[in-house]
Amino acid sequence: MIYQGKQKIWADYQKEIPDNHWFYVRSCIRQNFFPGAEKMFLEICRGLLKKDIFETEHHTTCGGIAYHCDTIPQETVMTIVARQFALMTEAGYENYVASCITSFGNYIEILETWKEFPELETRIREMLWKACKREFNKPKYVAHASDLIYKYRNEIAARAKFRLVNRFTGEPLKVVEHIGCHYAKMFPARGVGGAEYPYVLCGMIESWGGNVIDYPERRHCCGYGFRQYHVKANRGYSLSNTYKKFESMEPYHPDFILTNCPGCPYFMDRWQYVIAETEGKTYGENGYGIPVLTYEELASLVLGYNPWDIGLQLHQVAVEPLLDKIGIEYDPKEKYKGLNEKDLMRPELPGVLRCC
Amino acid sequence: MKENIVIIGGGIAGLEAACQLLDLGYKPIIIEKSDHLGGHVADWNCLFPDMTPAGDIVSALISKAADANIFLNTEISFVNKLQDSYNIMLSNGISIITRIMLVTTGFSVFDASKKEEYGYGVYDQVITNKDLEHWFNTGDDRRVNDSAMNAIGFVHCVGSRDEKARNSQCSKVCCITAVKQAIEMKQKFPEAMVYCFYMDLRMFGKKYEDFYISAQRDYGIRFIRGRVSEVSENIDGRVIVKAEDTLSGKPVKVTLDLLVLMAGMVCSQDSTKVANMIKLPLDSDGFLKSADNVADIIDSPKEGIFYAGACTGPKTVPETLAEARAAALKIHLYIMKK
Amino acid sequence: MDFGFKLSPSSAINLDKVDTEKFAELHRAEPDVYKCMACGSCTSTCPANRFSGMSVRKVILGLQRGKEKEVIAMMKNCMLCGKCSMVCPRGINTRHLILSICRIYGEDMK
Amino acid sequence: MRERFLTGYNDFVLPFVCGMLFVLGYCLVGLVRIIMQLPAEDRKKFFISLITPKTLLKNIKDIFLKCLIHVDIWKRNKLLGYMHSSIAFGWFMLIVVGHIEVFLYTSDLGAKALYYPIFFRYFVAETESTMKGALIFFLMDFFLLVVLSGIALAIIKRVRSRLFGMRRTTNPSFLDLIGQYSLWSIFPLRLLAESFTADISGGSFLTKSLNYVFTEFLSNHANMLPAWWAYSCALGIFFVVLPFTRYMHIPTEILLIPFRNAGIKIVNARKGFAKAQVYSCPSCGLCIDACPMGVLKGNIKDTTVYLNRQIRRNNEARIEEISDKCLLCGKCTAICPVGVEGDKLRIAQRSVRKYNFGSDYSNISASEEILRCNKFVNNNNTSVSNPDKERVLYFAGCMTALTPVIRKATESILSKAGTDYEIMDRDGGICCGRPMLMAGRFDQARQLIEKNTEIIMGSGADTLLLSCPICYKIFREHYALPGIRVIHHTEYFDELIRTGRLDVRKGGTRYVFHDPCELGRGCGVYDEPRNVISSAGELVEAAKNRKESICCGGSLGSLTLSFDKRKAMTENALANLTADSPDEIVTACPLCMTTFSRYADRPVTDIAQVLDKCSGPGRN
């Protein structure tokens, strides 16, 4: 691997990310999967970086999953998106930040489509007006939330309590970065680092002290692939995709996987359990799995937040071995205690995958 | 004869045309940007289909063209159109007034790093056809590991027939070059498996098909019909190549010790630069536009300006040489007519 | 545990894992096997094709891709009539090739 | 005549006696083994044939004509014929007359009977001259001279085989050479020995005269014994090496002829009848010139004579190579003077090949195939719709599918002749099984035969018409189709013309007819195609024709000959055909036609095309 070669490509794909005043839209599914992630993002941005981030309870789904599952036509998804833009316009913002990769891809795709077919944009404006009497301006910048964390990775590193270094060996942690497919594969120029070697997560890992692993199936989808997972008959393909990725990264013995998409961490986390139960195979050390984190969770960890406060107990694969390696202290007894100190109850332990 | 004839480009087309013009009694001027003559052919090792040493061809041309006025390391700074001639200002400060120019600016090898998914410049064991010829010539390339060469792959059509690479044209010679280089690699590494990933095999020229049959029958080179989709590096640093084996209708992957990208031919920047200065049109394939692509490939649409070789599109060495001879004759007749 | 779905087998051909020994043996028996350019003349003329999908082209390809089982199934209806060798533009001795395959490859193939 | 020695014995007889006993013992054991190796049924057939007067007489006649007189060789080349019969018949007569002599003049033979007829002259002295004695002396000298002339020719043949009509001859093995030299030396030595003793034992024009010459120089009788020793040694050596040389054909052929006359066929590749054939091969090398592969020098060692030699040596690799390469044109069989069946022997070798898997046609439904050609049967049952009329089922064959002109022309002729016909393989049929059979895969061939039989029997036809001689041969020999006439289109066309169902206008084109191997040598059809062609134009003959016709080189028989190696054979066959400058080459096999068309310098057509061009509906 020639690192300079990658750097050359990264240099070709830099994107302008505004440094303040963002209109933030959440993901539909992340709050169920890993609710700590978006909460921590807002906390880091507002509390730590002192940025102006606006979010509104009026925003809805972007329609991306339905669109990609072929259940709604393109005009519908465009009108939904137009409404989100209208909310942004009404709130007086022009920098649009999406928490979800599918949404991000969806916004970019729609904006590019309007650029090519302006008559379509006019039609959508009419439809939006008919539907809810709203008008919108197109956002000046569209960014993904990970772009912002990437932009401020060095500031975070400066305030970090922990580095991504194995405290037993002193070696940098080996990290697999997994980028959501819709981040840059459709429009390489719209992602940091392009589609072939996206830099958005690599930059965070490098900046926070870890080592990025480049394994053969790095480009591969996590396996969610809407139509694969949502149709039960196809679910085996979803699982097989994930399996292929794990088989490919296994020889590198990664310490954890970092992701920037709602579906990826969830499927890479949960499918490890299914693979373990059906195939008897686990990928971490000593029968554990490989922890899969979102970039917000990782940022919070290095900044020294309590693992249980950021919701790591909701991961299927136990994160404790990773916390031990980094040297983050935690109280196992606190793991299943809610914010109000109420006991959350214990999940049933899997048969094969070691979880505690 | 005191007529100034300016040949722009000292590759084989320029040299051959100069030789012919010298024989006809003229004293042409060759302007060459680089520090040596012979162009791309000078970087090549052997030429298909008879494995003619490229060096022999080039050195014979250079020695025959030695009497021409040759400016190395020289570029054209600007060109002024006069009444019925041109004033050419060279980067070395010399200016030439001429009414006849022969454009032999040739082609550029497609920049394989633009096909990011193939990892040229990123993976240790990915090289181009040109790099391989360089290795044949000098034996110097750390990416080619002699001691562990068990599997070698050739990817056809890199930057050719690819709208994403902004070149939908066929570069014509890469198929046969891949066959040639595959044979040469098999000769050097008889135990290695050699794969060629192709979309179509275009064996159009004299004895090319024989060469292809020989690659199959005598060297056991495996031709896989399918374009390589992506290349990755595995833990021991070898490259994994993925493609569809379209004949089986199945995805195929293989681990290789060396991957050679058959980078195609694109119009060189020098050609476009010259075209801009003299206001020559470009054809839809990105190369210089001839007066007529069938009947008159050597004439440009402008009087007194002629083409030879790959500046008008991908050409083989014999085609280039033939065009250069034709151009020399055309120039001679043009002068005689006045 | 049964989740109602499971891993689907990969359809990809991994050339690293294809056993080349037998094919090398076949090549020694019938060197022309390398000459196939996949034109498909043999397939379209084959009288067994409509019964078992026999195709010498697919046979040659399949053996190089580790698909011995499919190849053997295809060859079940070969009648050795020789039409394929008549039409082969590369002059491959397909009948000898087929007989050599019957000798070298076996029923116990994967 | 009286005996010179009381004991009637001298040590010099020992080499001969030992050799004789050895060879007799060897042959006896071999005979028993070969007979035991025959399948029980064949063995029974063989013994019955031996006591059936008709076959017995035929056996004696064949043995006399073939083994002694070599009539087949006489037909081929007089000089070669004389050479063979002079040695064989001459020697035989020497033995016969020698025995008569001994029995006439000696009584109380005992163990002496073993060697007396051979060395009689040494042991006796002439007491009186009688007419009877002189005649015997003369006969003995005469036949000795005959044999010596044969030997002289044999020596000449070694260096100038072309005089004997042979371009190439076999490369003898080391033991063959020893056998040959000892055989050659037997008779001159006998002459020498008898000449030394001729003044004592008597003799005739040869021995007596030579004796006078000898006494001129060497009056001493002491020279006598070494000559007799040498004679005995030559015989002894010859007999000892005989089983390991080509001369084994002498005793084996005597067994092969009754086997063949008993109707025995090759079953086991190496045992029984096959073994008898292999050992009957005299290594004469006639098959070398006959072999169409011989045009390429590299193939000479792949001819039948070498196959036999390698089988005797159990050289498995070479046996496989030789038997797989052969085109199975059958020409070596047709011209072999002893009747070694080179093609069948090779198919037998192929049949013992081990395969890991083979074809299985059980998935092919014959009843579905019948639906494609059920014109002659009533709907939903098997009863024939038109039982009194001729109902022709035309099986064009796989190869004809690649030469659609043949099918088109044949159909056109059938329409003109008003034949009610149906095509069995309009959209591709099931192979006849002959190619499989030729590859030695009998079980698969049998399955194909069964499928086709079911289809043909279910079609309601009464005639099976074939365009392809390859199919024709197997349909004739291996199919049981009761009530159905199997006919090749050449024969059928001939019949149409003869019965007036087709009207032919004779043109001026000069046609040469190529006898396809499977039609001519394979099925014995030579005249019908010639009749058809003669009625359409002028028939010219090839330099070698009928049973000596040269294979086109495209044969399916060869398993290993690659495409590029066949070109020379095709060109050689074409040169043979065009010797008399015909306008057109006519054949009756789609494979021959395709093969010739590739390299021919003039049109190559099928007989159906020729006939179709110049025929119209007949008056009948």
Side-chain angles (χ1 to χ4, degrees):
Chain A
M1 186 73 62
I2 306 157
Y3 189 73
Q4 291 79 3
K6 274 194 192 178
Q7 280 179 317
K8 202 169 144 260
I9 293 176
W10 290 332
D12 289 344
Y13 294 99
Q14 283 305 319
K15 90 185 215 189
E16 204 178 334
I17 305 163
D19 58 5
N20 209 344
H21 307 299
W22 300 321
F23 180 80
Y24 182 60
V25 282
R26 289 190 186 233
S27 151
C28 316
I29 55 179
R30 288 186 89 193
Q31 293 158 78
N32 299 317
F33 293 171
F34 303 115
E38 286 178 342
K39 180 184 183 298
M40 292 316 298
F41 174 75
L42 292 172
E43 177 143 351
I44 290 168
C45 288
R46 285 176 180 153
L48 196 77
L49 303 170
K50 308 281 182 232
K51 302 293 179 188
D52 166 31
I53 290 212
F54 179 84
E55 66 164 338
T56 164
E57 70 275 30
H58 294 295
H59 90 81
T60 64
T61 173
C62 70
I65 292 180
Y67 171 54
H68 290 298
C69 288
D70 285 343
T71 54
I72 58 172
Q74 200 184 18
E75 283 84 352
T76 311
V77 70
M78 281 180 170
T79 314
I80 298 171
V81 165
R83 184 179 167 276
Q84 319 282 32
F85 290 161
L87 294 176
M88 175 193 76
T89 310
E90 287 159 18
Y93 286 85
E94 50 191 13
N95 303 330
Y96 197 94
V97 177
S99 160
C100 169
I101 288 285
T102 306
S103 299
F104 175 73
N106 200 20
Y107 298 135
I108 300 284
E109 182 185 340
I110 287 170
L111 290 171
E112 292 289 329
T113 310
W114 288 347
K115 207 189 273 174
E116 299 291 326
F117 304 96
E119 69 281 2
L120 196 56
E121 185 188 334
T122 318
R123 217 165 90 77
I124 299 300
R125 284 183 186 277
E126 284 165 17
M127 284 163 75
L128 181 70
W129 181 254
K130 274 186 203 159
C132 54
K133 301 277 181 295
R134 286 183 198 269
E135 284 177 302
F136 69 94
N137 294 332
K138 284 189 278 184
K140 204 168 162 192
Y141 295 100
V142 176
H144 183 252
S146 59
D147 293 341
L148 303 194
I149 299 289
Y150 164 78
K151 189 176 169 86
Y152 296 110
R153 65 191 187 282
N154 293 330
E155 285 181 36
I156 291 170
R159 298 174 196 206
K161 291 222 172 70
F162 302 101
R163 303 263 309 153
L164 298 179
V165 172
N166 188 326
R167 74 182 168 115
F168 304 113
T169 63
E171 296 286 319
L173 291 181
K174 292 173 295 227
V175 189
V176 159
E177 47 94 34
H178 176 84
I179 305 288
C181 292
H182 291 187
Y183 176 68
K185 279 179 190 161
M186 296 186 291
F187 298 95
R190 307 303 287 268
V192 177
E196 204 42 43
Y197 309 99
Y199 189 57
V200 60
L201 295 180
C202 291
M204 298 181 204
I205 295 162
E206 287 176 356
S207 169
W208 300 339
N211 251 0
V212 177
I213 284 173
D214 198 336
Y215 64 109
E217 297 290 359
R218 67 181 151 77
R219 303 174 178 92
H220 219 76
C221 168
C222 66
Y224 181 12
F226 312 105
R227 269 170 285 201
Q228 305 309 337
Y229 176 75
H230 286 301
V231 180
K232 193 174 176 184
N234 294 345
R235 213 164 279 172
Y237 289 109
S238 173
L239 183 69
S240 308
N241 262 314
T242 315
Y243 176 72
K244 188 170 171 180
K245 277 187 86 76
F246 278 106
E247 287 294 308
S248 173
M249 70 175 79
E250 186 187 15
Y252 297 83
H253 304 296
D255 293 305
F256 70 97
I257 300 167
L258 184 64
T259 61
N260 72 342
C261 178
C264 308
Y266 190 71
F267 283 92
M268 293 174 88
D269 184 59
R270 301 300 200 263
W271 280 157
Q272 284 194 67
Y273 154 68
V274 176
I275 291 168
E277 296 306 306
T278 53
E279 304 293 313
K281 179 140 194 195
T282 53
Y283 293 94
E285 290 158 13
N286 311 320
Y288 285 98
I290 304 172
V292 191
L293 302 179
T294 68
Y295 59 95
E296 297 103 323
E297 287 169 341
L298 182 67
S300 314
L301 279 181
V302 298
L303 285 169
Y305 287 90
N306 182 339
W308 309 141
D309 287 352
I310 62 174
L312 292 189
Q313 59 274 67
L314 286 167
H315 287 246
Q316 175 70 61
V317 175
V319 293
E320 285 89 338
L322 174 67
L323 301 178
D324 292 340
K325 273 185 220 164
I326 305 177
I328 298 171
E329 284 182 17
Y330 57 92
D331 183 356
K333 287 198 286 280
E334 298 285 302
K335 184 170 182 181
Y336 295 108
K337 261 196 190 136
L339 283 177
N340 51 6
E341 296 290 309
K342 218 175 117 183
D343 193 75
L344 295 173
M345 296 195 293
R346 303 289 179 283
E348 194 184 324
L349 284 177
V352 178
L353 185 69
R354 197 164 157 204
C355 285
C356 59
Chain B
M1 282 174 274
K2 55 191 173 184
E3 185 87 50
N4 272 340
I5 303 167
V6 174
I7 298 173
I8 309 169
I12 54 162
L15 288 172
E16 175 68 29
C19 295
Q20 302 293 330
L21 289 167
L22 285 166
D23 283 352
L24 288 165
Y26 302 99
K27 198 159 172 71
I29 302 157
I30 300 177
I31 301 166
E32 170 59 44
K33 183 180 73 168
S34 75
D35 61 354
H36 67 277
L37 293 168
H40 293 289
V41 180
D43 299 334
W44 236 246
N45 179 34
C46 282
L47 303 176
F48 51 81
D50 292 333
M51 295 295 191
T52 319
D56 293 1
I57 303 261
V58 172
S59 53
L61 282 173
I62 291 175
S63 67
K64 270 168 71 188
D67 289 341
N69 281 320
I70 300 169
F71 296 109
L72 293 176
N73 299 311
T74 308
E75 286 183 74
I76 297 175
S77 301
F78 57 83
V79 177
N80 284 333
K81 177 90 177 78
L82 308 176
Q83 183 68 37
D84 53 356
S85 60
Y86 297 90
N87 178 18
I88 301 172
M89 191 64 187
L90 300 182
S91 57
N92 57 7
I94 296 172
S95 89
I96 307 164
I97 305 230
T98 180
R99 55 188 191 100
I100 299 161
M101 273 190 268
L102 176 61
V103 182
T104 55
T105 43
F107 66 94
S108 286
V109 178
F110 174 80
D111 174 10
S113 65
K114 282 190 187 158
K115 291 293 289 178
E116 287 167 14
E117 62 269 40
Y118 294 164
Y120 179 68
V122 176
Y123 300 134
D124 291 320
Q125 292 167 342
V126 180
I127 65 171
T128 63
N129 41 3
K130 193 166 176 165
D131 296 337
L132 188 63
E133 291 291 335
H134 182 260
W135 180 73
F136 287 151
N137 273 332
T138 63
D140 172 32
D141 194 324
R142 56 170 193 80
R143 292 169 294 189
V144 186
N145 182 1
D146 299 34
S147 58
M149 197 62 86
N150 300 313
I152 303 163
F154 288 84
V155 186
H156 293 224
C157 301
V158 174
S160 307
R161 304 179 72 196
D162 184 352
E163 293 188 11
K164 297 278 173 67
R166 298 207 192 116
N167 182 22
S168 55
Q169 306 303 314
C170 167
S171 293
K172 201 172 181 179
V173 296
C174 330
C175 281
I176 182 70
T177 305
V179 167
K180 178 194 84 101
Q181 294 186 340
I183 288 177
E184 288 174 294
M185 286 309 269
K186 190 79 182 174
Q187 285 168 342
K188 290 190 197 310
F189 307 102
E191 297 304 313
M193 289 293 285
V194 179
Y195 302 96
C196 281
F197 294 89
Y198 69 97
M199 297 198 288
D200 290 297
L201 282 172
R202 302 193 162 179
M203 297 293 147
F204 59 90
K206 184 178 163 69
K207 284 166 70 183
Y208 290 9
E209 186 72 12
D210 292 351
F211 214 43
Y212 167 42
I213 295 175
S214 163
Q216 287 182 294
R217 182 194 52 209
D218 307 332
Y219 294 96
I221 290 158
R222 308 298 169 89
F223 288 85
I224 298 175
R225 188 177 178 280
R227 190 188 179 92
V228 168
S229 64
E230 59 184 48
V231 179
S232 12
E233 201 172 65
N234 75 3
I235 193 158
D236 55 15
R238 302 173 79 205
V239 284
I240 299 176
V241 167
K242 282 190 187 179
E244 185 194 349
D245 176 17
T246 59
L247 296 175
S248 313
K250 294 267 171 11
V252 64
K253 70 171 182 180
V254 63
T255 311
L256 303 172
D257 297 298
L258 184 70
L259 185 67
V260 185
L261 306 178
M262 304 312 295
M265 287 187 186
V266 291
C267 188
S268 72
Q269 288 198 335
D270 307 315
S271 298
T272 27
K273 208 172 119 193
V274 168
N276 278 334
M277 286 193 266
I278 330 178
K279 310 258 174 326
L280 291 168
L282 293 181
D283 212 339
S284 58
D285 61 356
F287 286 89
L288 301 186
K289 189 173 168 63
S290 297
D292 189 293
N293 280 334
V294 177
D296 208 357
I297 196 127
I298 284 158
D299 272 325
S300 80
K302 294 216 157 178
E303 198 189 325
I305 296 177
F306 303 91
Y307 301 138
C311 60
T312 53
K315 303 268 157 63
T316 63
V317 169
E319 283 167 349
T320 302
L321 295 177
E323 273 186 20
R325 282 169 215 134
L329 183 63
K330 204 122 201 190
I331 289 169
H332 174 62
L333 294 174
Y334 178 77
I335 294 168
M336 300 306 282
K337 214 162 58 186
K338 289 281 157 125
Chain C
M1 195 183 287
D2 182 20
F3 294 91
F5 57 90
K6 56 181 191 310
L7 284 180
S8 347
S10 171
S11 66
I13 298 160
N14 187 346
L15 288 178
D16 302 338
K17 293 199 174 132
V18 173
D19 176 24
T20 52
E21 282 296 307
K22 285 226 152 90
F23 196 77
E25 194 184 337
L26 180 64
H27 175 246
R28 282 193 292 277
E30 183 48 65
D32 280 357
V33 65
Y34 276 165
K35 276 168 73 182
C36 175
M37 55 174 174
C39 71
S41 308
C42 46
T43 316
S44 55
T45 200
C46 179
N49 181 267
R50 68 186 169 106
F51 300 116
S52 68
M54 172 63 180
S55 154
V56 179
R57 172 186 83 73
K58 285 190 190 168
V59 164
I60 293 174
L61 184 70
L63 293 179
Q64 294 181 74
R65 301 287 185 265
K67 305 272 177 208
E68 285 88 352
K69 208 175 161 189
E70 288 90 328
V71 165
I72 288 172
M74 223 185 266
M75 285 174 63
K76 277 278 176 190
N77 281 167
C78 170
M79 309 177 196
L80 218 58
C81 71
K83 277 176 84 183
C84 44
S85 62
M86 298 275 292
V87 298
C88 179
R90 281 280 176 92
I92 299 173
N93 186 347
T94 51
R95 297 175 74 239
H96 186 239
L97 179 70
I98 289 164
L99 287 171
S100 303
I101 294 169
C102 291
R103 293 176 74 171
I104 293 166
Y105 292 86
E107 304 258 61
D108 54 339
M109 287 291 154
K110 53 184 174 293
Chain D
M1 202 67 88
R2 72 175 168 78
E3 292 185 56
R4 290 208 291 144
F5 309 99
L6 203 58
T7 52
Y9 171 80
N10 188 300
D11 281 345
F12 75 74
V13 304
L14 278 178
F16 163 76
V17 172
C18 292
M20 189 67 194
L21 289 175
F22 170 73
V23 80
L24 281 177
Y26 187 93
C27 290
L28 198 68
V29 172
L31 176 76
V32 173
R33 281 186 64 184
I34 287 185
I35 292 176
M36 292 312 289
Q37 285 165 352
L38 287 179
E41 212 173 295
D42 282 353
R43 198 157 52 231
K44 203 173 139 200
K45 235 196 290 185
F46 173 61
F47 288 135
I48 290 172
S49 83
L50 286 184
I51 49 167
T52 313
K54 205 176 132 198
T55 40
L56 190 65
L57 275 175
K58 190 169 161 39
N59 286 346
I60 292 167
K61 184 183 137 207
D62 282 359
I63 290 172
F64 183 76
L65 288 179
K66 284 180 188 290
C67 301
L68 295 179
I69 309 295
H70 292 90
V71 278
D72 291 337
I73 303 180
W74 274 94
K75 280 183 210 154
R76 169 163 293 277
N77 182 293
K78 299 266 179 312
L79 204 55
L80 197 64
Y82 174 76
M83 184 196 104
H84 281 88
S85 43
S86 63
I87 299 175
F89 185 65
W91 195 2
F92 176 72
M93 287 313 288
L94 276 178
I95 296 167
V96 171
V97 179
H99 278 77
I100 292 172
E101 194 181 23
V102 170
F103 289 120
L104 277 179
Y105 295 105
T106 3
S107 53
D108 186 25
L109 266 172
K112 289 187 286 187
L114 266 178
Y115 54 86
Y116 248 42
I118 317 300
F119 307 109
F120 192 53
R121 296 291 166 84
Y122 177 80
F123 292 104
V124 292
E126 193 180 27
T127 46
E128 51 180 348
S129 312
T130 58
M131 199 54 196
K132 192 171 70 180
L135 177 68
I136 286 175
F137 280 137
F138 171 75
L139 284 176
M140 291 296 279
D141 271 18
F142 172 72
F143 285 118
L144 186 59
L145 183 66
V146 167
V147 176
L148 284 170
S149 68
I151 302 280
L153 286 174
I155 294 167
I156 295 168
K157 176 173 162 264
R158 260 292 133 203
V159 275
R160 296 214 171 234
S161 62
R162 260 172 209 279
L163 286 177
F164 298 78
M166 291 175 76
R167 280 205 307 129
R168 281 167 301 210
T169 176
T170 358
N171 210 355
S173 69
F174 176 66
L175 280 175
D176 277 346
L177 280 177
I178 292 182
Q180 185 174 41
Y181 292 142
S182 57
L183 176 66
W184 284 355
S185 55
I186 288 171
F187 300 96
L189 286 172
R190 178 179 178 137
L191 177 66
L192 204 64
E194 288 191 348
S195 300
F196 273 122
T197 32
D199 55 340
I200 303 168
S201 65
S204 189
F205 62 96
L206 211 58
T207 41
K208 217 41 181 263
S209 332
L210 213 57
N211 183 263
Y212 291 140
V213 178
F214 286 162
T215 35
E216 248 348 80
F217 304 101
L218 325 140
S219 54
N220 197 341
H221 274 150
N223 293 316
M224 186 158 51
L225 214 50
W228 283 101
W229 264 103
Y231 172 46
S232 173
C233 283
L235 277 168
I237 292 170
F238 179 67
F239 286 141
V240 168
V241 296
L242 181 133
F244 315 106
T245 64
R246 61 202 188 97
Y247 299 103
M248 192 58 199
H249 81 90
I250 300 167
T252 319
E253 201 185 344
I254 298 168
L255 177 65
L256 183 75
I257 289 170
F259 271 173
R260 191 165 50 231
N261 289 342
I264 291 171
K265 296 212 155 52
I266 295 177
V267 179
N268 190 302
R270 304 282 169 83
K271 292 178 179 168
F273 191 49
K275 192 170 188 172
Q277 286 199 1
V278 168
Y279 280 85
S280 295
C281 171
S283 246
C284 67
L286 283 175
C287 49
I288 298 177
D289 281 345
C291 183
M293 298 196 301
V295 287
L296 294 178
K297 259 212 168 124
N299 293 333
I300 288 176
K301 294 243 163 165
D302 299 317
T303 45
T304 306
V305 51
Y306 288 100
L307 173 69
N308 293 330
R309 187 182 283 182
Q310 300 301 348
I311 291 179
R312 286 181 64 171
R313 290 180 185 169
N314 287 318
N315 184 345
E316 294 301 329
R318 284 287 291 138
I319 295 171
E320 181 175 328
E321 194 185 344
I322 297 175
S323 46
D324 280 2
K325 202 176 203 179
C326 172
L327 295 156
L328 301 184
C329 73
K331 194 168 169 187
C332 53
T333 308
I335 56 103
C336 181
V338 297
V340 175
E341 298 168 299
D343 50 345
K344 293 195 176 112
L345 212 49
R346 283 179 172 90
I347 293 178
Q349 306 312 315
R350 294 175 185 186
S351 73
V352 296
R353 245 8 78 75
K354 288 273 180 294
Y355 292 101
N356 290 330
F357 68 97
S359 299
D360 170 13
Y361 309 103
S362 48
N363 60 317
I364 300 177
S365 153
S367 48
E368 261 173 49
E369 296 300 307
I370 293 171
L371 294 180
R372 296 158 155 253
C373 56
N374 61 350
K375 181 180 173 185
F376 302 124
V377 286
N378 288 326
N379 287 345
N380 299 327
N381 65 39
T382 49
S383 80
V384 175
S385 52
N386 223 338
D388 306 325
K389 277 184 67 185
E390 183 195 29
R391 303 172 307 276
V392 174
L393 185 66
Y394 175 34
F395 184 73
C398 299
M399 288 299 148
T400 314
L402 296 173
T403 51
V405 280
I406 299 179
R407 197 172 90 179
K408 217 179 129 202
T410 306
E411 281 196 75
S412 162
I413 294 169
L414 293 177
S415 310
K416 285 181 207 166
T419 305
D420 190 12
Y421 72 94
E422 166 76 309
I423 296 183
M424 182 172 155
D425 55 349
R426 191 180 293 279
D427 305 312
I430 297 168
C431 174
C432 62
R434 176 79 180 141
M436 224 15 139
L437 195 81
M438 290 201 285
R441 308 196 74 178
F442 301 152
D443 180 52
Q444 272 97 306
R446 187 188 46 72
Q447 289 184 51
L448 289 170
I449 290 170
E450 281 167 10
K451 289 281 172 202
N452 276 322
T453 304
E454 207 178 329
I455 297 165
I456 296 163
M457 295 314 288
S459 73
D462 71 343
T463 301
L464 180 68
L465 176 66
L466 302 152
S467 279
C468 175
I470 305 169
C471 307
Y472 184 47
K473 186 169 162 76
I474 195 171
F475 274 111
R476 263 172 55 141
E477 291 179 358
H478 292 271
Y479 277 70
L481 299 167
I484 293 177
R485 186 167 71 129
V486 176
I487 194 165
H488 187 251
H489 73 344
T490 50
E491 297 171 294
Y492 191 71
F493 295 157
D494 183 38
E495 188 182 293
L496 290 180
I497 298 169
R498 273 192 290 107
T499 53
R501 287 170 66 187
L502 211 58
D503 196 24
V504 188
R505 298 172 305 277
K506 190 172 172 127
T509 318
R510 284 161 54 82
Y511 297 108
V512 67
F513 180 67
H514 165 71
D515 289 286
C517 306
E518 300 275 76
L519 188 66
R521 285 185 291 266
C523 300
V525 177
Y526 294 112
D527 295 325
E528 289 85 346
R530 285 180 168 77
N531 294 344
V532 173
I533 293 172
S534 299
S535 60
E538 187 189 338
L539 175 75
V540 298
E541 287 294 349
K544 289 209 168 94
N545 60 1
R546 293 183 181 247
K547 89 173 193 175
E548 300 230 354
S549 149
I550 301 173
C551 171
C552 68
S555 167
L556 289 174
S558 171
L559 301 178
T560 52
L561 266 183
S562 61
F563 177 72
D564 47 325
K565 301 243 166 68
R566 294 172 185 244
K567 188 181 175 201
M569 298 165 205
T570 309
E571 283 171 341
N572 179 47
L574 278 168
N576 170 59
L577 285 171
T578 51
D580 202 7
S581 323
D583 301 324
E584 244 179 85
I585 297 166
V586 184
T587 181
C589 169
L591 186 50
C592 298
M593 183 170 136
T594 314
T595 311
F596 280 140
S597 306
R598 218 168 271 144
Y599 306 112
D601 58 349
R602 61 202 81 201
V604 180
T605 46
D606 188 84
I607 198 161
Q609 290 169 270
V610 172
L611 184 61
D612 184 39
K613 222 164 40 186
C614 61
S615 64
R619 276 144 297 181
N620 288 358

